[in-house]
Each structure stands twice: as structure tokens, then as C-alpha cells.
Amino acid sequence: MPSEAPFPLSLEQEFLRLQHQNDGSAGDFGPRPISSGGWRLTGDLDVEDFRRALDDVVARHEALRTELLPGEAAGEDGGEGGGWRNLVHPPGPSPALEVHDLTAGDASRQERSEAFLNDVESGTFDMSRVPAFWAHVGRLADDDWIVVLVAHLPVVDVWSLSLVMRDLVELYAARRAGRAPELPEIRQYREYAAHQRTGADEAKAARSYGYWRDRLSGAEAVALPTDRPPVAGEPSGTRCDRFAIDAELGTAAVEFGRSLRCSPFMVLFAAYRVHLLARTGQADAVVWTLSPGPGRRRRWMADTVGYFVNFFPLRTDLTGCRTFRDVVERVRESCLSAFTHEVPFVRLAAEAGEQIAALEQSDRIAERARPGFQMSPNPFVLREQEAGGVGCVAAQRRRSQPLGPDVPDDAILWTAELGAGGELLFAVNSSVDRFDQESMDAMADEFTRVLRAGVGDPEIRLDELTASVRASGGGSGAGSVHASGRAAVAAETTS
């Protein structure tokens, strides 16, 4: 039996519950509420010691053995969080571990590892089991392995899985060497949820509420046309389309951003915003984004496993922007102010309810979807570990999958990631009911055209750029990066 009393949902967990409760998903947290990630291991992996290290990491992090209970099961009668509670179980039983032989086949190891990761991710998982945490290990060769970790999303976000894998490698190495693990002290997620309820942050947050009420006054959300209207009944699922932009343009985009004191997110979001402008004509509008969350910026929460992801509206007004450089600078200004005033969305919705309600009304239009854009929150993508005779690096994917992690039926979410070799990797999650494959390919191509032209010649006129995107009809392939800048766009526009 659990030794601790259940504790209420955090504000971030409460938002996730409300989102799935209201978007037509099955159940309060959706039909497939998982977080997942893959890592390549090199070296002589001892599976039994790895299994024991899994027990160790579950004992270390309470979130990995946390069960979500609805109000009636938690002995509550509605109230805060709809009565839902986090219930932490003591260590044991062991998490599920499956070992797969992936040595056969003509495909490359990279292709086999990506196919394996996609197959695991598209599976079904019993979120009521404890721990709701799974590990799949695929043997590509005697010294080459792919590890996939899956957890219950409302208690463990994707960023947290990177922390889990970091600790897992060290715990495995300690077992192999017969020594104590060298890991930082951690605070548990219950402490974060409790801190939110103290009201200690309200004085600072009050200033941010005023900012958001002013910022969102009169705003409208980008409403992206879809191929089909919403379907009756339960949605068919979410596809994940992936494409890559080569290292030459990827490196150039990062360097261009650095010259303007912009993060990679700001440059990529600027290109995405121009792509949306060409499709919708909305110059002043909100695009939703996901961040690792304000809780992650707290030093005492840096190594905590839990659900911290935050959802908030990013308003950019491109009115008066003449060039792509102007767009990037406008985006930078918007991002700096928005992230400075970031608060959990549940509180934002409560304090700026009228403005948020207007956004929800404006973007819930038949045959339209809400676009979102985020950078991968994984802090260890480019960081290699080596311990206990095993090297570890995060797996990166280019292979699309017909069934990926769910997004609401009326949303389309782009996730950008910096590749290890300088390339840019994108995953686009969308409803299979609302968008055709041809449309997804065209969007990827349009975005690539904008980024290629804008980075190649930052002084290219915005109207010229959007006109070229409209005229291109999707172009010649999202992953292909050829000529760049004004000359390429002008040639396409006049041909």
C-alpha cells in the first residue's frame, strides 16, 4: 500500500486534464497519453544489470511510480483538479522490460532503430499499472543497442525522460563497478505541486497577469484551413510526419540567429510565422507554443522528474515588417516579453479569461485547426554519456509514422530539433481525419522555402516571399535545400 497520502494535481497537470476533457478525447487524459524517447547505447550491455538499474531509477524518482486517481477513487468529491490526485506507490514491482532482437534484415542499423522506436511508440499501454513506465531494448549488434523509454505523460514529460535516462546510465555503471552512484540530490514532484499551492509566487505573477491581459486584448488566433471538417465520434488518431533540412542551411540559420541575438527557436518560428501568413493572411495573430515550463527554470527543480510542460499563446504582429530580418526581430521582441511573463496556463486562463475565451472562440472555426510550434525540450540531445563500458546518445529520427503521440483533433503541432550534425529535424503531428498527406508535404516544403530564402537573403521583401510561397504550390520536396535567397525566389515568382 502507498505510504504517502495522495496530493493534488499541479497546475500543469490540471491543464492537461482539462485539455483532453474538452477536446473530444476518450477519457480525462486522452486515449494514448504517453511520453517517449529513444537512446542508442554502444558497448557490451549486460541486460540483467540494466534491469536492476531500472529498479534503482524507479526507486529514485517518485513520478515513475505515481498513479493518477480520479476524484471518486481518491476519496474526493470534486473540487480542485476535479478531485484528481497523484498517488505515489512504494518501489516495486519492477518496470516492464522487453528485449528484442533487431539484428536481422537488410536495412541499416539507423533505419532499424528508427522503425523500432516508431513501432514501440505506436503501441498501447496500460496507464493504470504501477509503475506506468516501460523499457524496450533492441539489440542491433553485440555492441549496438536502441533503448526506448515510455511513461505516462501526465506524470512524466519528455524532458523528464532525458533525466531518467541520464540517471539510468549512471546507476547501471555503478552496479557494474560495484560502487555508489554519483548523482545529484533531487527534490520530488510533490514538492513542486505543494509550492504552487502556497501562493508564494502570486505577487510576481500578478504583474504578469496584467501583461497578458493587455497583450491578448483584441487578439485572434491563427486559424489554419484543413482538408476536411471535424468528424463525428472519436478521432481516428494522429500521424507524425518528419522531414529534415540539411546541415548547410541548418548551420546558417543558427548563425544568422546568433548575429541578431536570437535563439534557434526565434529564427525557425519566424519562418513558420511567414508560412502561416502566406496561408491565412493573418499578420497580427496568436500561435500556441509549448515550453519546458516555468517550473523547470527553478534551480531546485532542475533534476526533478515530473510534468512541467506549459502551454501559452505567442502573439506576433507582423504589420509593418518589410523584410525577413524584420520578422525575426519582431519575433525576438515577442518571445522575450512572453517568456519573461510566462505563468502556468491554468492561472493565465483564470486571470485573463475574457481574452483567452476570445481566442478559443476565434480559432474553433469549422474546417480549421490551431497551429502550434515548439523546439524539442530534450536538454541532452547533443550530449553523449559514457559509463560502465557503455556509451549513450539520444536517438534522432527522420522516419515518419502513421500513428504518433496524440494531439487534439483541431490542432497541428510542429516540433523542431537541432540535429547532431547541424541539420534541422522536424516532426509534425496532425489529425489523420483533418489533413491529407499531400497537404502535410506541401506545408513542409513551404516552410523550407521560407527558411532557405530568408536566411539566404534576410533583406528579401516579406510580400515577395509570401507571394512566392503562395505561387509555389508546395514546391519540390521538403528535405531538399538548393539555391537560397532573393534570386531563387524571384526566379520562381517570374517563371
Side-chain angles (χ1 to χ4, degrees):
M1 293 292 294
S3 57
E4 301 280 354
F7 62 93
L9 303 184
S10 70
L11 296 176
E12 291 83 358
Q13 289 177 307
E14 173 60 5
F15 165 72
L16 189 64
R17 185 189 71 83
L18 290 171
Q19 179 190 43
H20 284 292
Q21 186 180 57
N22 297 325
D23 70 8
S25 299
D28 284 275
F29 283 102
R32 296 186 65 255
I34 65 168
S35 58
S36 60
W39 290 263
R40 290 287 290 274
L41 302 184
T42 55
D44 181 17
L45 181 69
D46 185 290
V47 173
E48 289 309 310
D49 275 345
F50 190 78
R51 191 187 306 272
R52 296 183 185 99
L54 280 170
D55 290 338
D56 295 339
V57 82
V58 170
R60 173 173 165 82
H61 295 288
E62 286 185 355
L64 296 176
R65 42 192 167 88
T66 294
E67 178 184 10
L68 289 182
L69 297 180
E72 58 273 15
E76 299 287 339
D77 182 21
E80 182 183 2
W84 282 76
R85 293 291 186 266
N86 292 276
L87 181 64
V88 178
H89 290 263
S94 299
L97 172 63
E98 295 186 16
V99 181
H100 308 256
D101 187 354
L102 307 179
T103 57
D106 297 329
S108 68
R109 293 184 190 178
Q110 177 63 28
E111 291 171 330
R112 279 179 276 151
S113 68
E114 289 195 32
F116 177 66
L117 209 170
N118 286 354
D119 287 345
V120 170
E121 196 170 73
S122 63
T124 57
F125 303 89
D126 179 8
M127 297 303 166
S128 65
R129 75 181 299 277
V130 178
F133 175 55
W134 297 261
H136 291 254
V137 178
R139 184 171 69 90
L140 300 163
D142 289 341
D143 60 350
D144 194 356
W145 310 74
I146 174 74
V147 173
V148 182
L149 302 182
V150 180
H152 193 192
L153 175 63
V155 293
V156 179
D157 60 25
V158 175
W159 180 301
S160 292
L161 282 181
S162 297
L163 296 172
V164 171
M165 192 64 196
R166 180 202 66 183
D167 291 357
L168 183 56
V169 170
E170 171 57 21
L171 289 164
Y172 170 81
R175 279 196 168 273
R176 295 292 286 167
R179 59 170 174 80
E182 298 176 2
L183 292 171
E185 293 292 326
I186 60 170
R187 307 282 287 271
Q188 299 295 347
Y189 191 68
R190 66 168 66 244
E191 299 177 69
Y192 176 65
H195 176 81
Q196 288 184 324
R197 296 192 298 276
T198 66
D201 299 325
E202 279 306 299
K204 179 180 178 181
R207 297 190 293 272
S208 294
Y209 299 148
Y211 162 84
W212 284 111
R213 284 190 288 267
D214 292 341
R215 183 66 177 165
L216 298 179
S217 179
E220 64 176 16
V222 172
L224 189 66
T226 65
D227 296 314
R228 286 174 299 280
V231 298
E234 186 173 323
S236 299
T238 299
R239 73 157 63 86
C240 181
D241 293 285
R242 291 189 172 88
F243 68 98
I245 292 177
D246 70 23
E248 181 179 0
L249 179 54
T251 301
V254 172
E255 291 299 324
F256 172 58
R258 188 174 291 120
S259 72
L260 296 180
R261 295 180 298 142
C262 290
S263 67
F265 171 84
M266 294 174 186
V267 175
L268 299 180
F269 183 80
Y272 185 66
R273 191 64 185 83
V274 172
H275 153 72
L276 293 176
L277 175 64
R279 285 209 162 217
T280 68
Q282 293 174 273
D284 180 8
V286 165
V287 176
W288 302 96
T289 189
L290 296 169
S291 81
R296 283 288 179 203
R297 291 196 290 273
R298 299 179 181 278
R299 186 174 301 174
W300 58 282
M301 284 282 105
D303 294 295
T304 299
V305 170
Y307 186 82
F308 293 90
V309 175
N310 196 37
F311 176 84
F312 70 97
L314 185 57
R315 183 178 185 177
T316 49
D317 184 1
L318 305 186
T319 303
C321 290
R322 294 179 55 257
T323 67
F324 184 72
R325 182 190 299 275
D326 291 342
V327 173
V328 176
E329 291 177 341
R330 189 71 57 84
V331 165
R332 178 180 184 273
E333 176 185 335
S334 298
C335 287
L336 289 177
S337 62
F339 281 102
T340 297
H341 293 283
E342 184 181 5
V343 294
F345 184 79
V346 166
R347 288 209 171 125
L348 173 60
E351 297 293 336
E354 180 180 344
Q355 292 81 4
I356 295 295
L359 287 176
E360 289 293 301
Q361 182 178 6
S362 68
D363 66 9
R364 291 190 181 276
I365 302 173
E367 302 186 19
R368 293 184 178 259
R370 296 178 294 171
F373 192 93
Q374 66 171 344
M375 287 291 289
S376 171
N378 187 339
F380 304 112
V381 164
L382 304 182
R383 185 183 303 174
E384 294 188 33
Q385 288 179 265
E386 186 170 354
V390 172
C392 175
V393 64
Q396 296 186 305
R397 284 180 279 181
R398 297 158 183 80
R399 185 187 182 106
S400 297
Q401 58 195 110
L403 183 62
D406 284 323
V407 297
D409 182 61
D410 63 348
I412 176 170
L413 176 63
W414 285 51
T415 301
E417 184 176 343
L418 298 176
E423 62 186 336
L424 299 172
L425 306 176
F426 295 86
V428 185
N429 290 71
S430 65
S431 167
V432 298
D433 296 319
R434 307 294 301 279
F435 290 98
D436 293 328
Q437 186 63 58
E438 292 78 7
S439 296
M440 304 311 300
D441 293 341
M443 290 183 202
D445 185 82
E446 290 167 13
F447 171 85
T448 304
R449 283 172 173 267
V450 170
L451 185 66
R452 178 176 68 231
V455 171
D457 181 4
E459 305 309 320
I460 185 172
R461 289 180 57 87
L462 180 58
D463 56 358
E464 185 179 352
L465 184 54
T466 54
S468 174
V469 171
R470 294 189 189 105
S472 70
S476 59
S480 302
V481 182
H482 303 297
S484 60
R486 184 188 303 274
V489 172
E492 292 167 357
T493 306
T494 57
S495 61

